[in-house]
Amino acid sequence: MGAFQAACVQLRAGRSVSNNIDEAVSLIRQAALGGARFVQTPEQTALMELDRKMLFENITPEACDRSLARLRRLADDLNIWLHIGSLAVRVGPDKAANRGYLISPTGGIAARYDKIHMFDVDLDGGESYRESATYQPGSAVAVADLPWIRLGFSICYDLRFAYLYRALARAGAGLLTAPAAFTKQTGAAHWHVLLRARAIETGSFVIAAAQGGHHENGRDTFGHSLIINPWGEILAEAGTDPGVIQAMIDPAEVDAARKRIPALTHDRDIETEGLPGPFESTSE
Ligand SMILES: O=C(O)CNC(=O)[C@H](CS)NC(=O)CCC(=O)C(=O)O
């Protein structure tokens, strides 16, 4: 159905939801003015807040979420497909979902996706995360159709789980999305390689809008929003500051890459039944 222009909005969300959404709205407008028909924002578009108490003071169930309502009106105004990388929405007395939304050009919610893999990790330098203490993980793999191509959802840490992207590609997705708030230290080591690998191994476009820079809550995120073609080449890349990157997405490139390397059709059932469990060293 032809090519279309896609954009990533890179953000540096702070602790004020209204300031964050103002900034997001202005950059989304800029992307649409630049010709983008699909615009993606990063994980936690409305708020970067790891303190549980502060987070729960600022979030509501989806039906009452004012950021979501405002972004839906914006998509309608601009007549664009708007992919909100994620918002924290309350799903229980002390649990939230890290939930992505695809908003249609008439402002409807075309799809939702709850982040599946929780970032419960201790990094170097005492940087430590327990996402599962606050968020309830999703379990459903999700795809949604744009007029031009099928989109597959993921969020941030999901990027490390290749089987998810294979499932998305096998479900017909030609555009894989990975909005993120990657840490500065793991991003520097892994971000580009993981995203390019997901594109190459599935023959898909990858779009990953990122948070970047030093945030009000003290965190540092990696930035470097990326748009990658199905051959693994980088079409557009941001630096560390907030802004917009754009690239043309031609679905024919998906077919071409999958024709050159038809790995997606060469999957085999492998036997894991008889394998032993984790290796344990017997040395002192
Ligand atoms: O909750 C927020 O404020 C923003 N969300 C995040 O920062 C999320 C969950 S803590 N970060 C990641 O998943 C980083 C993954 C990563 O960096 C890696 O896999 O190396």
Side-chain angles (χ1 to χ4, degrees):
M1 211 191 135
F4 65 102
Q5 192 173 150
C8 286
V9 159
Q10 183 159 305
L11 298 175
R12 184 178 296 154
R15 288 186 137 148
S16 154
V17 171
S18 61
N19 289 353
N20 296 336
I21 294 294
D22 283 349
E23 170 82 348
V25 165
S26 117
L27 290 171
I28 293 163
R29 278 190 191 285
Q30 186 183 317
L33 275 173
R37 307 298 320 283
F38 169 85
V39 181
Q40 181 189 106
T41 65
E43 183 183 30
Q44 303 294 16
T45 289
L47 182 66
M48 286 276 286
E49 183 57 80
L50 292 173
D51 181 86
R52 270 179 65 85
K53 192 170 165 291
M54 304 255 275
L55 180 77
F56 280 97
E57 279 170 12
N58 277 287
I59 66 171
T60 69
E62 181 184 290
C64 317
D65 193 301
R66 290 168 61 188
S67 305
L68 179 61
R70 189 166 164 206
L71 293 168
R72 290 177 63 178
R73 284 195 302 273
L74 181 69
D76 184 19
D77 268 5
L78 299 174
N79 193 33
I80 56 165
W81 290 89
L82 177 59
H83 177 194
I84 306 168
S86 83
L87 300 174
V89 293
R90 191 187 280 268
V91 292
D94 61 353
K95 279 280 163 158
N98 192 345
R99 182 170 294 168
Y101 293 90
L102 180 68
I103 310 299
S104 78
T106 52
I109 297 177
R112 295 172 177 78
Y113 167 72
D114 287 0
K115 185 180 186 182
I116 293 174
H117 302 93
M118 296 286 97
F119 192 49
D120 293 347
V121 176
D122 299 309
L123 299 174
D124 284 355
E127 201 177 338
S128 181
Y129 299 89
R130 286 295 174 275
E131 189 173 20
S132 66
T134 305
Y135 293 91
Q136 177 177 296
S139 53
V141 174
V143 298
D145 287 342
L146 299 176
W148 314 273
I149 199 165
R150 184 164 294 163
L151 179 155
F153 292 93
S154 79
I155 298 174
C156 200
Y157 185 55
D158 283 331
L159 182 54
R160 296 182 180 275
F161 301 84
Y163 64 85
L164 172 60
Y165 300 87
R166 202 145 196 96
L168 291 167
R170 288 173 62 103
L175 169 55
L176 304 175
T177 61
F182 243 61
T183 72
K184 189 178 171 192
Q185 55 170 304
T186 59
H190 302 153
W191 174 252
H192 291 78
V193 175
L194 287 172
L195 287 166
R196 292 187 59 211
R198 298 297 87 90
I200 293 164
E201 68 198 4
T202 64
S204 305
F205 283 95
V206 171
I207 300 190
Q211 298 276 357
H214 188 68
H215 298 257
E216 229 177 316
N217 73 348
R219 279 195 62 189
D220 288 293
T221 55
F222 183 61
H224 291 270
S225 296
L226 283 170
I227 302 178
I228 300 170
N229 75 13
W231 200 242
E233 294 161 334
I234 292 171
L235 301 178
E237 174 167 3
T240 309
D241 289 336
V244 176
I245 59 166
Q246 330 214 163
M248 288 302 292
I249 305 295
D250 184 350
E253 290 182 43
V254 173
D255 301 334
R258 291 179 184 180
K259 220 165 149 185
R260 280 167 92 177
I261 308 279
L264 256 195
T265 66
H266 291 161
D267 274 340
R268 304 255 296 147
D269 282 324
I270 52 172
E271 275 182 37
T272 55
E273 200 73 8
L275 292 175
F279 179 75
E280 280 172 38
S281 168
T282 52
S283 69
E284 300 292 286

